[in-house]
Amino acid sequence: MASSSSSSTSGGPIARGSRRRRLVLKLSQKDTLQALFQQNPYPGIATRERLARELGIAESRVQVWFQNQRRRRLKQSRSPSANMRQDGEGAPGEARRKRTAISPSQTRILVQAFTRDRFPGIAAREELARQTGIPEPRIQIWFQNRRARHPQQRARGPGNAPSPGAAADAGAHPALPGTASILEEFVEATGIPDTQAPSPGAAADSEIWFQNRRARHPQQSARGPGNVRARGPGGASATTAPAPEDRRAPPAVHSTSPPLGPSQTQESMPPLAAAAPLGAPTFWVPGTASGVCVGQPLMFFVIQPSPMALQPSEKPPPPPQVAVPWAACSPADTAPWQPGPGAILPPLQPETHIRRRPESPVAEGTAPLLEPQPHPPSLPRSTSLLDELLAATGILETQAPSPEPGADAGVHPALPDPPSFLDELLEATGLGSSQAPSPGAAADAGAHPALPGTPSFLGQLLEATDIAASQAPSLGPYADAGAHLALPGSPSLQDELLAVTCIPGSPGPSLGSSPVIPGYHPALPGSPSLLEEIMAASSIQDTPWSSPRAAADEEGVEAILEAPLREEDYQALLDMLPGSPGPRA
DNA sequence: CATCTAACTTAATCAACCA
DNA sequence: TGGTTGATTAAGTTAGATG
């Protein structure tokens, strides 16, 4: 199986632009997923991120995999008894992803795109991701929510099929109650975000519809963490037969949203401060192949996708797989599924404000982001008018460098990450995919997990950079977003390293001292990766799992392993930047 | 070509934030 | 406290990868 494409998405023909390239998981990856699934079919963000890093795939892919897996299992075992998730207990202790703050200007961009195309394909989403600096998966969710709440015209059937005309529809508005009014669109188009639009009018329409709807559907559900179980069967859709249609054409956003051209995008990059929210606590350094930095919007380097980079290279670069020790990274390190109460964030303060974004805000890569993502917490989420005015005028809001409070304190990722994660897992399960029928597993056996010798960090970087040339390194965890960061003219190694570390022109710190990971490095030889541990323990040993496909994937960028950057380090980086407004004020 | 399964969609909810 | 809206889940569909 996994043979050919080694792990990645196929490079094949896909309509680029419409759907994301299908990811082909390797056996070893599946085994790992399977093992975790048995332990906890409902992993929280921390666990998903870990897994993603370990597997070299984007967190969003992990999430989808779990979704599909749950579904499959359910079907299979159709035992209504709910074996799964008893809810209540079980897994629910893990935190969910922190809410992503979307600024007004980002909203504006999204809204514009939405009016043009309610069902943007992967290419369009990625483009939006680049423009806004919001991870592609978040964009996808945004569209999902938006469609649900702004039922424009006809509903489309259950499937994904976009209605015919879909694209067209953007403009059309039926007058469904829920439909956004023309006015609304006008407003939106003009740059005023509806959401926060003060104007009661327009936006209101749809909101009203939504309210009604809500009223009509009182939430019955019960409680419980997560909605899960509560809902009855069904729901599903129903109706409508969609006509499968081709999905959209050109990425709308692109074409039409000139104003936001990447280059000049709006806010021309807000100074880091904004950009990196301060809070940004976690930013990941890539450990691998592609990985490159950042969780913060990287605005530092603009990389353009070189043609080369985009090419699906046939030969995937050797996968640099790196194992990232969980280490500090995720907040939740503690037992993931164990309800541990504090497990998740460092008790630190929370970022209440800034949410540390779990994922890289950045678009992966590429682009200059426009907005720093979330507004600084302190700022009132939207300054609304001002913001709007600025946005409208093209002045773009730069965001105030907000003094971030504490920077987010939260930040700290540094939880020591116990290897226990794995240990517990293994012990608990015995791992193996016992239940998993997966034929694969067995097959794999044999090989080894990974890391042959676990290359040094530097080595990995080198590899990564190498690869970078042909592939896109991924930036954030979400890498999927696609950023391709291609390093343009093949910069020197040093440059690349700098880029990787997110330090732009700075005199790069040597790796050793690299600010990036001072404390921990992703690839510390000594720390085994989750997968590795699992494999070893379970004896699943699998094939040399090489590469994360990520590297290979063009689009991709998948996230790759990243290591978190400590706040201090982050600050240091900020300091190094020329215009950086001071770090936390 | 059939099967498996990643990717997506809608709908319903939960939950963080803000006024 | 309620409204808005991001995140998650279930259920169903579409379509790429494989045998």
Side-chain angles (χ1 to χ4, degrees), chain A residues 100-104 106-107 110 134 138 142 196 373-375 381:
Chain A
T100 299
I102 297 179
S103 71
Q106 287 172 319
T107 297
L110 294 173
I134 298 170
R138 296 307 97 213
W142 185 90
Q196 346 239 268
Q373 235 190 310
H375 275 176
R381 190 182 172 126

Side-chain angles (χ1 to χ4, degrees), chain A residues 288-346:
Chain A
T288 35
S290 17
V292 174
C293 150
V294 172
Q296 304 303 314
L298 350 139
M299 349 203 124
F300 315 132
F301 35 134
V302 177
I303 304 178
Q304 323 199 1
S306 62
M308 277 194 41
L310 298 179
Q311 292 200 351
S313 46
E314 341 189 35
K315 357 181 126 212
Q321 131 159 23
V322 175
V324 178
W326 300 141
C329 339
S330 47
D333 291 4
T334 53
W337 20 88
Q338 303 275 357
I344 303 225
L345 301 175

Side-chain angles (χ1 to χ4, degrees), chain A residues 210-574:
Chain A
F210 195 57
Q211 289 174 354
N212 291 335
R213 184 175 185 228
R214 231 188 248 133
R216 266 180 252 135
H217 300 268
Q219 345 209 120
Q220 49 187 22
S221 79
R223 42 185 348 12
N227 22 347
V228 186
R229 264 249 111 109
R231 85 178 76 216
S237 31
T239 36
T240 340
E245 191 189 297
D246 76 351
R247 254 167 182 334
R248 66 240 66 249
V253 178
H254 230 33
S255 37
T256 27
S257 49
L260 314 171
S263 41
Q264 56 183 36
T265 2
Q266 1 181 353
E267 11 272 89
S268 15
M269 309 208 63
L272 281 184
L278 333 160
T282 1
F283 86 30
W284 315 95
V285 174
T288 35
S290 17
V292 174
C293 150
V294 172
Q296 304 303 314
L298 350 139
M299 349 203 124
F300 315 132
F301 35 134
V302 177
I303 304 178
Q304 323 199 1
S306 62
M308 277 194 41
L310 298 179
Q311 292 200 351
S313 46
E314 341 189 35
K315 357 181 126 212
Q321 131 159 23
V322 175
V324 178
W326 300 141
C329 339
S330 47
D333 291 4
T334 53
W337 20 88
Q338 303 275 357
I344 303 225
L345 301 175
L348 299 174
Q349 258 317 265
E351 18 176 3
T352 348
H353 295 330
I354 298 194
R355 341 136 149 297
R356 78 188 185 99
R357 18 180 113 222
E359 341 227 332
S360 69
V362 171
E364 300 301 11
T366 353
L369 318 189
L370 310 183
E371 266 214 354
Q373 235 190 310
H375 275 176
S378 25
L379 296 185
R381 190 182 172 126
S382 43
T383 348
S384 353
L385 254 189
L386 176 55
D387 195 345
E388 295 178 6
L389 287 172
L390 292 174
T393 57
I395 293 180
L396 306 197
E397 44 239 46
T398 356
Q399 314 225 332
S402 64
E404 217 79 257
D408 51 23
V411 181
H412 298 271
L415 300 182
D417 212 49
S420 52
F421 173 57
L422 210 187
D423 293 336
E424 295 179 15
L425 206 174
L426 294 175
E427 291 182 17
T429 49
L431 217 220
S433 6
S434 33
Q435 99 182 71
S438 76
D444 281 357
H448 302 270
L451 318 177
T454 331
S456 66
F457 178 57
L458 175 57
Q460 293 180 14
L461 284 173
L462 292 174
E463 276 190 27
T465 54
D466 225 89
I467 294 177
S470 54
Q471 227 34 247
S474 81
L475 302 179
Y478 270 135
D480 5 341
H484 306 281
L485 283 181
L487 304 179
S490 84
S492 65
L493 171 61
Q494 181 173 23
D495 291 342
E496 294 182 353
L497 288 173
L498 292 174
V500 171
T501 56
C502 294
I503 300 175
S506 62
S510 61
L511 285 182
S513 57
S514 152
V516 178
I517 336 183
Y520 23 85
H521 288 197
L524 294 183
S527 36
S529 66
L530 170 62
L531 175 59
E532 184 176 14
E533 295 179 13
I534 290 178
M535 297 299 187
S538 61
S539 44
I540 288 181
Q541 316 189 290
D542 79 81
T543 50
W545 123 305
S546 34
S547 116
R549 67 219 238 47
D553 187 357
E554 63 183 81
E555 186 151 353
V557 171
E558 300 262 44
I560 302 227
L561 321 171
E562 307 120 312
L565 177 58
R566 292 194 290 177
E567 183 179 356
E568 309 121 60
D569 298 325
Y570 177 63
Q571 285 303 328
L573 288 172
L574 289 177

Side-chain angles (χ1 to χ4, degrees), chain A residues 23-193:
Chain A
L23 172 67
V24 178
L25 295 170
K26 293 173 58 179
L27 286 174
S28 58
Q29 291 172 313
K30 287 181 181 177
D31 288 338
T32 301
L33 288 166
Q34 226 36 288
L36 285 162
F37 182 84
Q38 288 182 33
Q39 289 301 301
N40 176 19
Y42 294 85
I45 182 66
T47 300
R48 293 196 307 266
E49 289 188 334
R50 284 182 183 175
L51 257 178
R53 284 194 295 278
E54 274 298 326
L55 302 178
I57 62 179
E59 180 273 330
S60 60
R61 297 307 87 203
V62 172
Q63 186 168 29
V64 168
W65 184 89
F66 272 82
Q67 273 171 11
N68 288 325
Q69 189 64 21
R70 283 191 296 264
R71 174 107 184 100
R72 252 173 266 141
R73 285 281 226 234
L74 189 66
K75 263 186 182 173
Q76 224 175 53
S77 62
R78 216 19 238 213
S79 58
S81 355
N83 288 325
M84 256 180 139
R85 194 164 230 195
Q86 266 315 39
D87 249 51
E89 25 219 354
E94 266 199 285
R96 40 158 75 186
R97 164 186 275 104
K98 296 264 189 181
R99 188 186 173 93
T100 299
I102 297 179
S103 71
S105 57
Q106 287 172 319
T107 297
R108 178 166 51 82
I109 294 170
L110 294 173
V111 168
Q112 284 183 344
F114 183 82
T115 59
R116 292 189 179 90
D117 184 356
R118 296 162 61 91
F119 295 85
I122 183 67
R125 293 196 306 267
E126 288 185 340
E127 177 58 30
L128 283 169
R130 278 192 282 276
Q131 291 185 9
T132 61
I134 298 170
E136 184 275 330
R138 296 307 97 213
I139 297 221
Q140 188 169 22
I141 296 298
W142 185 90
F143 272 83
Q144 241 169 251
N145 287 326
R146 181 88 182 176
R147 284 193 296 266
R149 291 158 186 163
H150 293 262
Q152 214 131 335
Q153 45 178 106
R154 63 185 109 225
R156 129 183 355 230
N160 30 347
S163 60
D169 47 341
H173 332 309
L176 297 184
T179 325
S181 64
I182 292 176
L183 175 56
E184 179 180 12
E185 292 190 4
F186 171 79
V187 171
E188 293 180 353
T190 56
I192 299 175

